[in-house]
Amino acid sequence: MSQSTFDDDDLFGEAAEETRAEVEEHLAAAREELPDPDDVWVTDAENVLGALNGLKSALDVGDAVDHVRSAKKAYVLGERADAFEDAADLEAEIADMESLVGDIESAAEEVASLTGTVPAIRGALQDAADDA
């Protein structure tokens, strides 16, 4: 029968490994939630509004924001506890994911704006053509 160890250093090492694994799991889950590149690029829409609506749907990041947030919380906890021997890779990956998710959300907002603007412009152009 093996003896359980309750040594503080051993337990801290295990906790550090678990924290790192938690960060990595949340980052992997965030990557899974990101839009498919082809869905953002390819469309079969018949008009601009259809393309914009398709793009708006394609730019949905799902739960990626929550996963990045959870990864960062676990990372900050581990970092402040000085639990990581080398966490530069985690820090860089979190920063990259924050930036990417932020860019996608910004693009989605711009597309949503265009989705409302383009039909209004088309209507105004039709009115101008009818007046001519």
Side-chain angles (χ1 to χ4, degrees):
M1 179 174 179
S2 68
Q3 183 177 0
S4 296
T5 178
F6 296 106
D7 178 65
D8 287 353
D9 289 337
D10 289 342
L11 292 173
F12 186 80
E14 286 179 35
E17 288 175 15
E18 291 170 2
T19 301
R20 183 177 187 81
E22 181 182 352
V23 172
E24 290 170 347
E25 289 169 10
H26 282 296
L27 289 171
R31 278 191 297 279
E32 288 294 317
E33 290 290 324
L34 293 176
D36 183 274
D38 288 340
D39 291 345
V40 172
W41 191 251
V42 178
T43 185
D44 60 356
E46 295 183 23
N47 58 47
V48 172
L49 185 58
L52 289 171
N53 282 326
L55 181 56
K56 186 171 67 171
S57 294
L59 291 173
D60 180 11
V61 294
D63 292 333
V65 172
D66 293 335
H67 288 297
V68 172
R69 181 173 169 72
S70 294
K72 190 165 185 175
K73 284 188 332 188
Y75 171 80
V76 168
L77 180 65
E79 187 66 22
R80 289 194 180 162
D82 200 24
F84 305 127
E85 287 183 25
D86 181 20
D89 61 326
L90 293 178
E91 183 177 24
E93 192 170 351
I94 290 169
D96 288 348
M97 288 298 293
E98 282 180 308
S99 178
L100 178 56
V101 169
D103 289 348
I104 294 169
E105 287 181 320
S106 294
E109 289 173 10
E110 290 178 33
V111 170
S113 176
L114 284 173
T115 301
T117 303
V118 169
I121 291 172
R122 180 175 185 242
L125 290 170
Q126 284 176 328
D127 289 347
D130 290 345
D131 291 342

